[in-house]
Amino acid sequence: MSNTAISEATMRGVLEQLPLMSGKIVDGTRHEKVLSYMRLYLSSDSAVEQLMSWNVLDTLVLCLQPQSDMRVTATAVRFLGDALRAHNGEVLWTAVHATQIIEWIVDNTDSPHALVRVAWLHFMRQASYINDSAFTMLLDRVDYPRLLLRRLLDSSYFVVAEACALLGRLFYANSSIDPKLSALVEQLVARPFHMQTSARKAAVLAAVETLLLLKNSEVQQFVHRVFAQPMEPYLYDNDRLVRDRALDVLELVVLDVDAQGVWELVAVLARRVDMNANVVLRCLAAVVKQLPNNKRVDEGEAQRLGQMIATMGVELLLRIHPAVDGSDVNQIETQITSSNVDIAETQDAESTLITSSDVDRIQSQVAKAAQQSPSAASTIACEAARIVREHSQTSFSAHTASSMCLLLSSPRVQQHTQLVQLVLSTLLQTLRLAHSRTHVQMVPQLISTFAIRAPGLRGVFDLAHELLGSCTTEFVRSLEHAVRTRIVDVEWEARDTVLEFVTRAVREHAWPSVEQLATRQVVDDAVRALTDAEEYVRASAAHLLAAVVERGDEERAWYVSEHSHLTGSDLARLVADSEAFVKRAALDLVHALGTRGTGMWVECLSYRTLYDLADDPDFEVRVRCARVLALLTQNSAADAELQSTSLLLEMCRDSSRYVRAECLRSLRELKQNTQDVDMTNEPEPKRVDVGEQSSLCEKLKKVDLAQLEASLSAEHLYQEALDTQVARELMREQSDANAGNNILDCY
């Protein structure tokens, strides 16, 4: 977005008021909104020149005073850093050295406020792109290696993240490794693991991750040389944050080793399973995730290794899931036998670094851990499912698909929501890669599985939506039956999800491909859902009916408009709903019926109803009201009775530009229609009273459409919010310190 959306007067007003922002402001996002707004101005090539003409540095210096609110100080420093990256930022950088800002930078290297420390690092990172002698001198003055070491050990996660970003910028800035920073990293990782605090462990891993992300061969060789100690201690650390950091590093390591290194890594993990089964499984999931992205490993070899690990994960799931109840025993044993064959075939074709004893060791140790407690079994099962899910992103396996279906059918597995979600997401991804009709038919079966609640159901419907364009009629009929099964679910979120799916399918697919889905029976269910106790379901039902009317054929649209349980009074109750989003959906349905030309839609409206809708607090309701009013103006009898034209003209003064935009569009169409009627010698298409026609023309002539259009521009939008109120509203707080000022919500 260019800075033409922001007037110079507005930007200057914001800058001048920045040092005066009240310290009583409770809503911290206000400062972020101000910063984001000012950043928009920097997109112009002339922004820096204009800022200099306003003496912007003098203004920013006022924000750096000891008595300044730290949020204002941080905002000013971050904005200055961003300005340095703008066009001609070097000019601003030169001017900075003639102010007190550089001294403030030197004096506040260790500010007690985390916000200021983050802003300080951000400024230095942005200045590093200039990288002249002045910046080098500034780095030396702040003793940047020691400073970065302190920031990497900082207690704030955001400070550490910004420190890592600066380390990444400086470490290899001049086509060579910075010797001072290399010494810093060596010092950081040199301390033995058992002598490291949790903060230092996290700092070590953060630094290593940052350097590996540079993807520079010289830097990577340096990392492998200095970070010689094994990763296992970090992976098994008691601190969860350290373990998570170590996993992130492990993923980068997998990307940078050859096939032999990957096999060795997996073999080491297999032999450490007795230390922590969950950690081993999580590491194996990281290996499977990154294998397809490793360019040093042959694609076929990566596929075989991934398949071996994933098959082991499937077997673990089948062994430890608690669904062994007589009828499933034979099926489970068959699946396990099948997976053992797959593993054996993989081992015959590949390296002996991983032996059958490694696989047996993992399985036995994990099974032993799972037997300790139900919670342990559930956690381990989730980790195993993650392994399978990662592999299913790139590879289809009929064995995996059938195994996941078996797990989903287990009543005891269904008690664990997280496990159900993982298994379901694995199955859905597997089915996306399937080309067999047999496997695709699993989708309606999944929809009919009541154990799959709303979050999982959305994933199933996403897959069903993808399949609709190329599926068979039999599949669509099965889908319709499953939809009708779940549309009466006791869980309102499931009912709502079903209605949303059918609506999306009708709107995004050609009608012939969804005609067997949006059947009369489904329409009946949707009409009944208009009286659902849950407001979200009522809104979704109205959206579905509107979609059928707009996108369906004449027969289906007529069936909706003439439905015996969808009378004018029924629609009137829906339009008068207490919830704004239900009223929006109801007005969409009314507009769709009106566009089709049915008479019933007018019956639900009255002048009082339209007046209330035009004054509704929700601007989206008012937008839809304007749309319906525009439709009513085309019906002379309804227009005369409901005074729709007068209401539409009144709404041109609405506070929302979106409402005004709808009014503008409608009035232009109406004006064009009246001109067409005046110019033609043919009989008028509608019987319009000459007096009414003349009155309408007079009203339209009084409306300045050009001025109305000008009020819709982004420039006007920001001026509405800022130009006249910046001094007394944006930068100040109301009398109640806890009452946030939302003047920038439009932004």
Side-chain angles (χ1 to χ4, degrees):
M1 186 176 183
S2 69
N3 78 327
T4 54
I6 306 174
S7 70
E8 292 182 358
T10 301
M11 181 62 186
R12 188 170 186 176
V14 172
L15 280 172
E16 290 176 351
Q17 291 298 320
L18 183 61
L20 305 177
M21 283 190 76
S22 172
K24 296 180 181 179
I25 295 175
V26 176
D27 180 12
T29 64
R30 185 100 60 86
H31 301 80
E32 290 297 322
K33 289 176 181 177
V34 171
L35 176 60
S36 182
Y37 179 81
M38 293 193 299
R39 280 172 171 167
L40 286 177
Y41 193 78
L42 298 176
S43 58
S44 170
D45 289 346
S46 61
V48 170
E49 180 181 350
Q50 188 63 60
L51 290 173
M52 293 290 292
S53 69
W54 295 338
N55 297 320
V56 64
L57 295 179
D58 293 340
T59 302
L60 295 179
V61 166
L62 295 177
C63 300
L64 307 182
Q65 303 306 309
Q67 68 274 16
S68 299
D69 187 306
M70 288 303 104
R71 295 171 296 179
V72 173
T73 299
T75 300
V77 173
R78 289 166 65 192
F79 174 70
L80 178 57
D82 292 329
L84 295 178
R85 291 289 308 280
H87 184 71
N88 288 332
E90 298 85 354
V91 177
L92 186 63
W93 172 247
T94 302
V96 164
H97 289 78
T99 67
Q100 303 172 18
I101 294 177
I102 294 298
E103 293 305 317
W104 183 93
I105 292 292
V106 174
D107 294 340
N108 287 270
T109 54
D110 293 303
S111 170
H113 304 282
L115 276 176
V116 176
R117 296 198 298 275
V118 170
W120 191 98
L121 291 165
H122 178 80
F123 172 85
M124 294 295 289
R125 178 164 59 88
Q126 300 294 64
S128 70
Y129 287 90
I130 298 176
N131 198 24
D132 58 0
S133 58
F135 179 71
T136 303
M137 186 180 300
L138 178 59
L139 285 177
D140 292 336
R141 288 188 66 186
V142 298
D143 193 5
Y144 68 101
R146 293 177 181 273
L147 174 70
L148 275 174
L149 178 60
R150 294 196 298 274
R151 294 292 79 84
L152 288 171
L153 295 170
D154 201 281
S155 59
S156 169
Y157 172 84
F158 299 101
V159 173
V160 173
E162 194 62 50
C164 288
L166 180 57
L167 174 64
R169 274 291 307 157
L170 300 179
F171 195 84
Y172 202 78
N174 298 311
S175 301
S176 62
I177 295 177
D178 186 303
K180 293 182 179 179
L181 290 181
S182 64
L184 158 72
V185 175
E186 290 182 7
Q187 176 188 351
L188 185 64
V189 303
R191 184 175 296 180
F193 177 83
H194 67 277
M195 297 178 63
Q196 295 179 11
T197 63
S198 291
R200 193 176 189 90
K201 294 172 187 175
V204 168
L205 295 170
V208 170
E209 181 182 8
T210 298
L211 298 183
L212 289 177
L213 283 172
L214 294 178
K215 296 182 179 180
N216 178 282
S217 58
E218 186 178 347
V219 174
Q220 289 175 339
Q221 290 174 8
F222 167 80
V223 172
H224 293 316
R225 177 175 61 81
V226 301
F227 192 59
Q229 55 185 314
M231 282 285 299
E232 286 87 349
Y234 295 95
L235 291 167
Y236 297 112
D237 194 81
N238 293 327
D239 191 319
R240 181 180 61 83
L241 294 178
V242 173
R243 295 198 303 270
D244 290 344
R245 280 276 191 187
L247 277 173
D248 293 337
V249 174
L250 179 65
E251 289 188 10
L252 295 174
V253 170
V254 173
L255 282 174
D256 190 45
V257 296
D258 56 16
Q260 182 78 2
V262 175
W263 284 101
E264 290 175 350
L265 174 61
V266 175
V268 170
L269 290 172
R271 296 185 178 97
R272 295 296 184 97
V273 70
D274 55 337
M275 294 180 63
N276 190 317
N278 286 328
V279 170
V280 169
L281 295 178
R282 204 167 296 150
C283 293
L284 290 174
V287 171
V288 173
K289 176 183 177 181
Q290 293 294 2
L291 267 176
N293 303 319
N294 189 325
K295 297 180 180 180
R296 299 182 62 185
V297 179
D298 177 76
E299 183 178 351
E301 190 169 7
Q303 174 63 25
R304 284 190 291 272
L305 177 56
Q307 180 63 50
M308 187 207 73
I309 299 174
T311 304
M312 182 194 66
V314 172
E315 179 173 348
L316 287 173
L317 280 169
L318 294 171
R319 281 188 182 278
I320 67 177
H321 83 66
V324 184
D325 60 1
S327 61
D328 287 341
V329 171
N330 292 335
Q331 191 173 0
I332 292 173
E333 290 302 324
T334 301
Q335 297 279 24
I336 292 176
T337 302
S338 173
S339 63
N340 283 333
V341 171
D342 290 342
I343 292 175
E345 290 176 351
T346 304
Q347 290 169 349
D348 289 341
E350 284 305 319
S351 169
T352 58
L353 284 171
I354 301 178
T355 65
S356 58
S357 62
D358 292 325
V359 177
D360 291 340
R361 180 180 181 81
I362 292 178
Q363 292 172 350
S364 61
Q365 291 292 334
V366 170
K368 181 179 179 181
Q371 292 172 358
Q372 294 177 0
S373 68
S375 59
S378 177
T379 303
I380 291 173
C382 288
E383 297 301 339
R386 287 189 177 92
I387 293 176
V388 186
R389 183 182 62 179
E390 293 297 343
H391 184 65
S392 67
Q393 302 292 324
T394 57
S395 178
F396 169 76
S397 168
H399 167 62
T400 299
S402 57
S403 299
M404 296 303 105
C405 276
L406 174 63
L407 287 164
L408 285 174
S409 66
S410 165
R412 295 182 63 185
V413 169
Q414 293 168 3
Q415 297 175 9
H416 302 281
T417 304
Q418 185 181 15
L419 180 56
V420 169
Q421 284 294 102
L422 287 166
V423 172
L424 178 62
S425 61
T426 301
L427 177 57
L428 293 177
Q429 187 56 42
T430 301
L431 293 178
R432 277 188 171 86
L433 302 177
H435 301 287
S436 168
R437 289 186 179 181
T438 303
H439 293 104
V440 169
Q441 284 298 330
M442 291 181 180
V443 174
Q445 298 172 18
L446 292 173
I447 294 173
S448 300
T449 303
F450 281 86
I452 300 176
R453 310 316 303 162
L457 204 56
R458 293 188 189 98
V460 182
F461 279 135
D462 285 342
L463 176 56
H465 185 79
E466 296 172 16
L467 297 172
L468 270 175
S470 58
C471 60
T472 63
T473 303
E474 178 186 1
F475 174 81
V476 180
R477 288 174 179 169
S478 300
L479 199 58
E480 188 265 354
H481 178 74
V483 162
R484 295 204 63 210
T485 300
R486 295 304 297 271
I487 209 169
V488 293
D489 197 297
V490 295
E491 183 189 41
W492 73 263
E493 289 177 311
R495 300 196 300 274
D496 183 56
T497 302
V498 171
L499 292 166
E500 287 179 343
F501 161 68
V502 181
T503 303
R504 179 187 176 195
V506 171
R507 289 200 178 281
E508 298 183 13
H509 287 280
W511 177 251
S513 63
V514 295
E515 184 177 5
Q516 296 297 321
L517 176 63
T519 60
R520 286 189 171 202
Q521 291 75 19
V522 171
V523 169
D524 292 339
D525 293 333
V527 171
R528 281 191 289 272
L530 291 175
T531 59
D532 196 279
E534 178 56 49
E535 55 268 21
Y536 291 100
V537 178
R538 296 198 298 272
S540 295
H543 282 309
L544 171 55
L545 294 173
V548 172
V549 172
E550 292 174 0
R551 302 273 298 172
D553 56 21
E554 290 294 333
E555 183 275 331
R556 204 57 47 83
W558 175 88
Y559 185 76
V560 174
S561 63
E562 300 298 325
H563 200 283
S564 59
H565 292 93
L566 190 61
T567 63
S569 58
D570 295 322
L571 278 176
R573 282 193 297 272
L574 201 64
V575 169
D577 198 279
S578 60
E579 295 292 342
F581 57 87
V582 179
K583 284 189 278 191
R584 295 177 214 155
L587 288 171
D588 285 341
L589 176 55
V590 169
H591 185 269
L593 291 170
T595 304
R596 279 284 187 170
T598 61
M600 179 261 296
W601 70 284
V602 179
E603 299 173 10
C604 72
L605 301 172
S606 66
Y607 175 77
R608 186 67 213 180
T609 299
L610 291 171
Y611 184 86
D612 291 341
L613 291 171
D615 195 41
D616 195 274
D618 186 270
F619 81 91
E620 292 191 36
V621 170
R622 302 199 302 275
V623 167
R624 286 161 173 79
C625 176
R627 199 171 298 155
V628 171
L629 288 172
L631 205 57
L632 284 168
T633 60
Q634 302 174 22
N635 185 321
S636 58
D639 186 26
E641 178 184 354
L642 301 175
Q643 302 180 40
S644 52
T645 301
S646 298
L647 281 173
L648 186 62
L649 293 173
E650 286 293 325
M651 294 186 75
C652 291
R653 295 194 291 268
D654 195 276
S655 60
S656 168
R657 70 181 182 123
Y658 298 104
V659 178
R660 298 196 299 270
E662 185 61 37
C663 292
L664 175 64
R665 185 193 63 79
S666 302
L667 290 176
R668 276 179 171 165
E669 289 184 2
L670 188 58
K671 195 171 186 177
Q672 184 63 44
N673 291 339
T674 56
Q675 289 175 352
D676 292 343
V677 170
D678 290 338
M679 294 173 61
T680 181
N681 293 322
E682 298 178 1
E684 294 180 357
K686 294 181 180 179
R687 294 184 178 180
V688 181
D689 183 85
V690 176
E692 292 179 0
Q693 181 70 33
S694 176
S695 175
L696 176 60
C697 292
E698 290 299 321
K699 289 180 180 178
L700 291 176
K701 287 179 181 179
K702 293 180 180 179
V703 180
D704 189 341
L705 298 183
Q707 182 179 356
L708 183 58
E709 182 176 16
S711 73
L712 308 179
S713 67
E715 169 72 15
H716 182 86
L717 171 65
Y718 286 114
Q719 285 179 352
E720 278 184 338
L722 296 172
D723 275 357
T724 60
Q725 305 179 66
V726 63
R728 66 178 185 275
E729 296 289 345
L730 172 62
M731 305 301 186
R732 303 192 184 280
E733 189 56 272
Q734 298 174 356
S735 57
D736 180 1
N738 291 311
N741 188 319
N742 295 319
I743 192 171
L744 276 184
D745 277 356
C746 61
Y747 175 71

